[in-house]
Amino acid sequence: MKNIQAIRGMNDILPDTSRYWEMVEGLLCHVAIQYGYQEIRFPLLEFTELFTRSIGETTDIVEKEMYTFLDRNGDSLTLRPEGTASCIRAGIEHGLFYNQIQRLFYCGPMFRHERPQKGRYRQFYQFGVEAYGLFGPDIDVEIMLLAMRFWQELKIDHKVELQINTLGNLETRVKYREQLVQYFNNNYDVLDEDSKRRLLTNPLRIVDSKNPDLQELIKNAPKILDYLDYEAQAHFDGLCRILDEIKLPYVINPRLVRGLDYYCRTVFEWVTTEIRAQNAVCAGGHYDGLVAQMGGKSTPAIGFAMGLERLILLVADNLTMPNLQVIYLVLLGDDVIAEGMLLAEKIRANNKVNVIVNCGGGSMSSQLKRADKSGAAIALILGDAELAKREVLIKYLREDKPQQSVKIENIFNYF
Ligand code: HAM
């Protein structure tokens, strides 16, 4: 019979890498809390309409990437492809935005039916932050600094670059869209099939195309920065001024338009040159109209999300994992099991070290082999003879030190 395998693009995270995940996720939560952000958790499944209405009918995500199905009641449900829509849904449902400033973060799996490749998967993890009730540009800077702190803590700040742009307000985009459509229509024959389709549905996305044959055309296309109204221009200038003053390096990328429809004003991405095709590690921007559009009170909003797989790819060769002290307890004979289990409990409680108890019996040498394989630094050996003297033997597995025997009641002072 054929073995059942994982679904393409959906990965198991095995014990040798889960250590990095635990560390990175722990650090991200810790840093977000340092900035006053609080965790929010929402379901993996939502009504499909939540995503079609917020992300946009003509985006890649909604057009071709969502995992959508009818459940047993005949409701159309979708596995969340991102967190922002759910965050707004939960915020409106529980009255979080009513005359309040909210700083929220979340972490968990998202689902998109994309073509899998290095750094792009069908189930992937995002860590996201969202701030509500603040217009900026101070909050824009805070959120960029927060991301920068992650990179510094993870020692990858030299591997990422901040790119920013502004999409202005809705009127700006309508005006800009007209100019773009006219420009690309004048050059219709040069466009590829995908861009011809986008010209009708979502022309801004043509500017984002990676097709090398279109680069010259895109370079000469109208730039949104030339169409900004006074307010959007002042917001963007204010952002750049603070970034300059605090010396947070950035580049303005006029081609940065983002793939989801809800953005306005500041948009940004942290990109890396280390993962070739999938270079966006973290991306976000303002979405000031979305809360009202989804039925809430008009509330300015900004946030970002980072792909944890891409982050792990970047940090894996940078991080030295803290070497937690691990003790392996060798138990020789059935009569010492109960005493051994109690001893391990006491060490765990008193000394905050990890204790692995040998289960399943075995000779001294086979238990010591398991101890070695577990990565433990120390083996504690307890047999009938030691128990009779209320002692335990300490054997160093990684250091050239002689074996010692220690009274059981003194063992807690020993570590
Ligand atoms: P996004 O650009 O679609 O934005 O995704 C954010 C990040 O998630 C990307 O920069 C990338 O690191 C990661 N990512 C996206 N798709 C995949 C994939 N298939 N495999 C691996 N990683 C992936 C959003 O999702 C917005 N909700 C971000 C946001 C929050 N904007 C405002 N607040």
Side-chain angles (χ1 to χ4, degrees):
M1 202 169 39
K2 201 168 151 250
N3 285 345
I4 299 173
Q5 298 199 321
I7 297 166
R8 189 159 170 258
M10 305 209 176
N11 299 317
D12 300 307
I13 300 167
L14 299 178
D16 56 344
T17 30
S18 63
R19 286 161 21 106
Y20 289 106
W21 284 78
E22 283 158 19
M23 216 213 99
V24 168
E25 285 171 352
L27 191 124
L28 297 178
C29 294
H30 169 75
V31 169
I33 290 167
Q34 273 195 317
Y35 283 73
Y37 288 70
Q38 294 176 297
E39 188 178 12
I40 180 164
R41 299 188 187 205
F42 25 77
L44 298 191
L45 273 178
E46 299 273 5
F47 288 114
T48 303
E49 198 191 344
L50 174 68
F51 302 116
T52 49
R53 268 176 52 191
S54 56
I55 297 172
E57 300 270 5
T58 59
T59 56
D60 281 353
I61 296 180
V62 171
E63 270 187 350
K64 50 189 186 197
E65 294 170 1
M66 295 204 304
Y67 281 90
T68 297
F69 61 95
L70 291 181
D71 80 348
R72 286 167 198 272
N73 302 331
D75 291 323
S76 178
L77 305 184
T78 293
L79 276 168
R80 61 184 192 190
E82 58 111 47
T84 309
S86 303
C87 199
I88 289 192
R89 198 263 313 131
I92 295 174
E93 196 169 328
H94 301 286
L96 300 188
F97 303 141
Y98 203 74
N99 288 343
Q100 293 176 64
I101 289 170
Q102 290 289 351
R103 288 179 165 88
L104 304 172
F105 74 88
Y106 51 87
C107 184
M110 309 291 162
F111 303 84
R112 296 183 194 175
H113 195 276
E114 295 192 78
R115 199 165 43 78
Q117 58 174 223
K118 188 175 181 189
R120 186 169 68 195
Y121 311 100
R122 291 180 174 172
Q123 174 174 330
F124 60 98
Y125 286 74
Q126 274 188 350
F127 182 91
V129 305
E130 315 284 356
Y132 296 95
L134 297 164
F135 195 73
D138 46 2
I139 187 65
D140 310 26
V141 175
E142 172 180 290
I143 257 184
M144 290 171 191
L145 274 174
L146 168 55
M148 186 61 168
R149 175 129 311 278
F150 290 147
W151 318 139
Q152 285 170 345
E153 297 283 339
L154 293 166
K155 301 187 179 48
I156 53 166
D157 43 321
H158 60 292
K159 293 186 179 179
V160 289
E161 175 186 87
L162 173 61
Q163 300 191 346
I164 64 172
N165 192 20
T166 178
L167 301 180
N169 55 21
L170 196 62
E171 293 87 71
T172 307
R173 273 217 304 290
V174 171
K175 240 191 311 169
Y176 177 59
R177 192 187 149 112
E178 279 167 13
Q179 296 301 315
L180 264 190
V181 170
Q182 196 180 2
Y183 174 78
F184 286 125
N185 264 328
N186 292 343
N187 295 279
Y188 193 77
D189 294 342
V190 189
L191 295 179
D192 58 14
E193 285 314 307
D194 203 33
S195 303
K196 284 179 181 158
R197 192 177 57 81
R198 283 192 162 140
L199 194 54
L200 299 172
T201 57
N202 201 345
L204 251 72
R205 292 287 287 160
I206 303 176
V207 177
D208 197 31
S209 165
K210 303 277 183 297
N211 182 348
D213 299 338
L214 296 185
Q215 297 313 304
E216 196 54 32
L217 183 69
I218 292 169
K219 209 172 94 196
N220 298 321
K223 311 240 171 341
I224 197 153
L225 290 174
D226 298 329
Y227 293 85
L228 297 182
D229 67 1
Y230 175 77
E231 195 188 55
Q233 185 72 56
H235 186 275
F236 194 60
D237 290 346
L239 168 65
C240 295
R241 195 175 51 246
I242 307 176
L243 290 179
D244 289 337
E245 279 174 20
I246 62 173
K247 297 195 168 42
L248 185 74
Y250 64 92
V251 290
I252 296 173
N253 175 1
R255 288 177 54 180
L256 185 63
V257 290
R258 308 282 298 122
L260 303 89
D261 275 359
Y262 49 62
Y263 290 108
C264 61
R265 298 194 292 132
T266 311
V267 287
F268 60 95
E269 283 188 3
W270 291 86
V271 297
T272 176
T273 47
E274 311 256 328
I275 312 168
R276 219 176 276 154
Q278 300 309 319
N279 63 352
V281 184
C282 173
H286 266 280
Y287 49 98
D288 300 331
L290 192 55
V291 177
Q293 188 194 315
M294 299 305 285
K297 182 172 169 270
S298 174
T299 308
I302 180 171
F304 67 64
M306 58 182 74
L308 293 193
E309 284 79 4
R310 295 183 194 177
L311 202 53
I312 302 280
L313 281 172
L314 283 185
V315 298
D317 35 289
N318 275 57
L319 279 188
T320 34
M321 293 299 293
N323 234 346
L324 253 187
Q325 196 177 21
V326 178
I327 294 169
Y328 194 97
L329 183 56
V330 171
L331 296 179
L332 299 169
D334 291 346
D335 296 340
V336 299
I337 293 177
E339 193 72 37
M341 291 283 179
L342 283 178
L343 178 65
E345 283 304 304
K346 285 185 192 148
I347 300 176
R348 288 184 193 115
N350 282 300
N351 297 82
K352 309 289 177 225
V353 291
N354 298 351
V355 186
I356 303 171
V357 175
N358 186 83
C359 288
S363 67
M364 168 92 107
S365 72
S366 70
Q367 292 197 38
L368 283 175
K369 262 190 214 144
R370 284 187 215 156
D372 187 44
K373 211 170 151 212
S374 76
I378 287 169
L380 288 184
I381 302 168
L382 187 64
D384 293 331
E386 287 77 26
L387 190 57
K389 290 187 273 175
R390 305 290 307 160
E391 282 179 1
V392 64
L393 283 180
I394 299 182
K395 185 174 170 61
Y396 294 91
L397 301 173
R398 318 280 158 200
E399 285 167 286
D400 195 15
K401 282 204 223 166
Q403 189 165 298
Q404 275 176 276
S405 57
V406 176
K407 286 281 176 210
I408 288 181
E409 65 264 28
N410 292 337
I411 197 85
F412 313 112
N413 305 328
Y414 197 83
F415 298 112

